[in-house]
Amino acid sequence: MTLSEEDYIKAIYHLGKGENTTVSTNAVAEQMDTKPSSVTDMVKKLSEKGLANYKPYKGVSLTEYGQKTALSIVRKHRLWEVFLVEKLDFSWDEVHEVAEQLEHIKSEKLVDRLDRHLGFPQVDPHGDPIPSKSGTFKKAIKKLLKEVPVGANGICVGVKDSSPPFLKFLDKNKIALGDSILVLEKEEFDGSLRIRIKGNEVHISDQIASNLYLKITE
Amino acid sequence: MTLSEEDYIKAIYHLGKGENTTVSTNAVAEQMDTKPSSVTDMVKKLSEKGLANYKPYKGVSLTEYGQKTALSIVRKHRLWEVFLVEKLDFSWDEVHEVAEQLEHIKSEKLVDRLDRHLGFPQVDPHGDPIPSKSGTFKKAIKKLLKEVPVGANGICVGVKDSSPPFLKFLDKNKIALGDSILVLEKEEFDGSLRIRIKGNEVHISDQIASNLYLKITE
DNA sequence: ACAAATTTTTAGCTTTGTCTAAAATTAAAT
DNA sequence: ATTTAATTTTAGACAAAGCTAAAAATTTGT
């Protein structure tokens, strides 16, 4: 499997949002920053190799085998992202480019050992789940902190209100994108929350909880 | 710089044994497991790019720039080898293939952080020195343990006598290839040594010391 | 339903890195 | 020193992956 083939498999996988959806040639071309004619050539090849289902003019989807391949690449990508953040102190927003390269390294032993070295992490620094060796994983969804049930934990991935005062508030309370948050308790009366973040327990008002997105895996 | 170019640079570097020696087209072809005609094509390209000096029929050598490039690749290769052995518990003889892939990952930050994560190691698991970021390093030489001066340390890289009794002896005394050995004291009288290996102090007879190769950096 | 717009494919060309076979150069041998 | 042997280069071809421009199929608008 060439590097380029792997990139196409991944693109088709991501465009199909993990479901086995048929995606258009144009969509793949845009995602890959290449031309539709190049995509046609490549999906023909993937199809011949049994990785994709392709009908001219009808788009492309992954076969079972293609799906497995995609999951293996995603697994590697996300494990390397964890490595970069946890072991090499990269920040969560600078790991993607490097992981994009590392995901192509071919060594099953390396991946297994890396997984173990990292303590078998369930999610990457962006809150996205890491497929198991056999390719299973829980889907992640993005929710307002307010909607996250007590006991669940997730990773802070975005804000609804991006006004300076709100961002400043987050900064002051040391809440940053990429932080892992565990919901400890919900106060029925005013909708405020008690959460654990970076080892500290913090109180969060309903208003804040309504403007912070977490990614959680169910 | 493409992957293939990097491989050629590295081959020329290694054939020249780190010295800036001119090497033959045939030698490069053999090392790279490719054909001489392919080598000719590539060294022309490297020459145009300022990485190599090439005169038809006269062989090829690296320019200053080519040398720096080679050292940067060697540095990455050896740091990854240390990582695989120290952090992922690979054995010293199975790291080469994987490091061969990892050495091509492009990210200066990654290499620097990896170096730090590993505690700025001086040698790889085979006892070969790791070039610094600026490309300097001490040469390694292979010596019989017997010849290693007191106070020096090196890595066990081979045996002179490979008879079963000798190998069995090493095994029993938990001396294995890849082990780091520090020479603590030399007994003038019988030529026996006191060494430190894997945290333990061990006594080694002259006969053993005459049949064990260490790689040391001076 | 049919013309227009959009999407997708085909055909042909380019680059990179490789190969084979033949020609050219250098080295070796008598 | 001249022939033979070995090495190296050139010329021409090929596969992978991409591109452009033109043709074909599909979708859309009325």
Side-chain angles (χ1 to χ4, degrees), chain A:
Chain A
M1 175 102 68
T2 71
L3 211 133
S4 202
E5 285 168 357
E6 290 193 352
D7 284 339
Y8 274 95
I9 293 281
K10 211 180 42 149
I12 296 167
Y13 176 82
H14 280 131
L15 285 169
K17 299 202 184 85
E19 321 293 322
N20 199 349
T21 313
T22 294
V23 299
S24 78
T25 303
N26 255 12
V28 176
E30 194 166 322
Q31 168 90 5
M32 302 268 310
D33 201 27
T34 184
K35 302 291 168 187
S37 55
S38 306
V39 175
T40 302
D41 286 348
M42 182 55 92
V43 297
K44 274 183 188 165
K45 190 165 63 150
L46 293 178
S47 186
E48 273 163 24
K49 289 198 174 189
L51 287 154
N53 305 114
Y54 166 63
K55 290 266 148 104
Y57 296 104
K58 298 298 179 192
V60 63
S61 63
L62 295 178
T63 62
E64 195 89 8
Y65 173 36
Q67 286 259 354
K68 273 211 121 173
T69 304
L71 283 169
S72 146
I73 300 168
V74 168
R75 169 172 161 79
K76 286 191 277 181
H77 182 102
R78 293 183 179 163
L79 283 173
W80 280 117
E81 285 195 343
V82 174
F83 170 73
L84 293 172
V85 167
E86 300 275 311
K87 303 293 186 183
L88 301 193
D89 297 316
F90 275 62
S91 69
W92 80 305
D93 55 337
E94 58 185 358
V95 295
H96 186 77
E97 195 192 354
V98 183
E100 204 74 1
Q101 297 180 62
L102 288 162
E103 73 190 2
H104 295 295
I105 303 292
K106 281 165 190 45
S107 165
E108 198 175 329
K109 185 164 193 169
L110 173 61
V111 180
D112 291 346
R113 294 292 178 91
L114 184 64
D115 194 16
R116 189 181 71 185
H117 180 55
L118 299 171
F120 307 104
Q122 295 300 299
V123 296
D124 76 10
H126 308 98
D128 293 309
I130 298 173
S132 72
K133 195 174 175 180
S134 58
T136 62
F137 68 103
K138 306 195 190 97
K139 278 215 73 168
I141 51 168
K142 204 168 121 179
K143 267 189 182 172
L144 284 174
L145 175 50
K146 185 190 176 69
E147 316 290 347
V148 175
V150 170
N153 91 322
I155 287 184
C156 182
V157 293
V159 291
K160 190 172 173 187
D161 170 6
S162 61
S163 68
F166 182 55
L167 298 178
K168 202 156 280 176
F169 170 88
L170 293 178
D171 208 42
K172 198 164 70 185
N173 285 271
K174 300 222 176 13
I175 298 173
L177 295 186
D179 288 348
S180 181
I181 289 175
L182 171 63
V183 178
L184 295 169
E185 193 185 351
K186 232 173 216 176
E187 180 51 67
E188 291 289 328
F189 179 62
D190 62 356
S192 71
L193 301 175
R194 203 155 53 80
I195 65 173
R196 173 178 292 277
I197 177 169
K198 285 192 229 149
N200 306 315
E201 285 189 22
V202 181
H203 245 95
I204 292 286
S205 73
D206 174 64
Q207 221 199 319
I208 303 302
S210 306
N211 283 292
L212 207 55
Y213 283 110
L214 293 201
K215 197 165 259 180
I216 64 172
T217 60
E218 330 163 287

Side-chain angles (χ1 to χ4, degrees), chain B residues 25 40 43-44 47 53-60:
Chain B
T25 302
T40 302
V43 297
K44 274 183 188 165
S47 187
N53 305 115
Y54 167 65
K55 290 269 145 119
Y57 296 102
K58 298 299 179 192
V60 63

Side-chain angles (χ1 to χ4, degrees), chain B residues 2 4 8 34-35 37-38 41-42 45 57:
Chain B
T2 71
S4 202
Y8 275 94
T34 184
K35 301 292 168 187
S37 55
S38 306
D41 287 348
M42 182 55 92
K45 188 163 68 147
Y57 296 102

